[in-house]
């Protein structure tokens, strides 16, 4: 009991210390947290989070991702994208489609993996994710338009990538086990119901807050409880629908006609504090959970070449073509085409998909986690180290934001 308490306390402490060191030395916090987790887990073997937390490991991470995603979507105000709505829409539709197809083909033919594995991973890799994008944006002090596009893309595409991957896995079951097409219709229905529940929860909650049916001191607690209940109900219907539901809830609360900006700011402040704590702890949990074998598997040449293709070819090409005619300067398009770190959602969902694909008897399922881990680690490191220098070179830094942050 005492060992568990000490381990959890140290885990949280290391996470917050990583955030402080990142602020103090202007290094992306994600890099420090990744190194801390790898050192504590597979390299030094100080503790194994899966063994430490047991059956609570997956639920804790799932709840954390739900809260982080909700906090991010609570800041998605439609009014802030009037000038670049077309670019965002095209990035999350055309851009996602190009990234999905390009990544899948690379994984299948360069990585040499089975088509079910390749297209499942291709779907998952369209995700950039607020768990890594938002901390980088917080430290980079980008101009509003560039920062908003990266934030909107990360939050919207997060559940889309997970659901697209789940669709590919279901297709694999149809091909290999003759699963009834009815299951695919059930999956689509669950997504629609999840979005509906998110809208209902968000609309009712904001209505209660504005009508002062919930006292001010309880608003944050009630919202947090609603997020967890909504996520659990949606996951009960079908895995990964919960991400879609909490995103819909946050966007509804941020954009409903009877919203109160003061309430939104109050909730955002509370949720941001929780998100920083959760991101710090969960990212270390995930990286510390790696085995040494999984860590070494990242450095296989076919996987490294595939990762390089996704980062240096697929992403820039997808953003370039999806933003043609969107009114964005070439410098901003190039910057957005480079910044696409993968994070917590990619890592957690990849583990679930690997188990599902393994049930089909596909041997390459064991390569899914190393490939994901490699992409996450390399993208976080490269984008974390280059986001500020590149933004400064392209004159995309907001000098006022940077000055205020230094005070």
């Amino acid at each position: 009991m005492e060992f568990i308490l000490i381990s959890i306390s140290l885990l949280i402490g290391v996470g917050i210390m990583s955030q402080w060191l990142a602020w103090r030395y202007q290094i992306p916090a994600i890099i420090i947290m990744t190194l801390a987790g790898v050192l504590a887990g597979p390299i030094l073997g100080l503790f194994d989070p899966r063994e430490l937390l047991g059956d609570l490991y997956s639920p804790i991470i799932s709840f954390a991702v739900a809260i982080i995603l909700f906090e991010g979507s609570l800041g998605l105000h439609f009014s802030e994208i009037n000038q670049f709505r077309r670019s965002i829409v095209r990035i999350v539709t055309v851009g996602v489609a190009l990234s999905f197809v390009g990544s899948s083909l690379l994984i299948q033919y360069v990585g040499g993996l089975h088509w079910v594995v390749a297209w499942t991973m291709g779907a998952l890799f369209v995700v950039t994710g607020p768990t890594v994008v938002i901390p980088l944006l917080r430290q980079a002090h980008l101009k509003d338009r560039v920062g908003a596009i990266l934030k909107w893309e990360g939050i919207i595409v997060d559940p889309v990538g997970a659901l697209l991957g789940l669709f590919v896995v279901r297709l694999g079951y149809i091909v290999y086990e003759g699963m009834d097409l009815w299951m695919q219709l059930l999956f689509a229905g669950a997504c629609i119901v999840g979005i509906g529940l998110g809208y209902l929860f968000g609309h009712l909650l904001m209505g209660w807050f504005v009508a002062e049916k919930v006292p001010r001191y309880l608003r944050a607690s009630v919202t947090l409880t609603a997020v967890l209940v909504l996520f659990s109900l949606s996951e009960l219907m079908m895995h990964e629908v919960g991400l879609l539901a909490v995103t819909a809830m946050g966007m509804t609360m941020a954009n409903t006609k009877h919203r109160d900006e003061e309430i939104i700011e109050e909730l955002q402040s509370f949720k941001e504090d929780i998100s920083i704590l959760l991101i710090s702890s969960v990212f270390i949990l995930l990286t510390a959970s790696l085995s040494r074998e999984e860590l070494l598997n990242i450095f296989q040449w076919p996987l490294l070449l595939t990762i390089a293709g996704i980062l240096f070819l697929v992403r820039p090409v997808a953003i370039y073509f999806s933003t043609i005619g969107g009114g964005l300067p070439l410098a901003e398009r190039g910057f957005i085409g480079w910044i696409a770190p993968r994070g917590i959602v990619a890592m957690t969902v990849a583990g679930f998909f690997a188990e599902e694909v393994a049930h089909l008897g596909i041997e390459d399922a064991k390569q899914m986690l190393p490939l994901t881990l490699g992409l996450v680690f390399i993208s976080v490191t490269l984008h974390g180290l280059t986001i500020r220098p590149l933004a400064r070179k392209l004159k995309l830094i907001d000098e006022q934001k940077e000055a205020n942050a230094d005070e």
Side-chain angles (χ1 to χ4, degrees), residues 60 118 239 310 315 368:
I60 286 174
H239 198 61
I310 292 171
R315 169 70 179 183
M368 294 173 71

Side-chain angles (χ1 to χ4, degrees), residues 253-293:
M253 294 183 71
N255 295 282
T256 184
K257 292 181 179 179
H258 57 264
R259 71 182 183 276
D260 186 305
E261 293 301 330
E262 183 179 344
I263 294 174
I264 292 292
E265 291 177 6
E266 179 184 310
L267 293 176
Q268 272 188 303
S269 177
F270 174 74
K271 292 294 186 299
E272 185 176 0
D273 290 338
I274 292 181
S275 291
I276 290 173
L277 181 64
L278 291 175
I279 289 172
S280 304
S281 303
V282 171
F283 211 85
I284 293 175
L285 267 179
L286 289 168
T287 50
S289 299
L290 304 179
S291 66
R292 292 182 183 179
E293 182 182 358

Side-chain angles (χ1 to χ4, degrees), residues 221-234:
S221 299
V222 169
T223 304
L224 182 60
T225 302
V227 169
L228 298 181
V229 170
L230 173 63
F231 180 77
S232 301
L233 289 175
S234 302

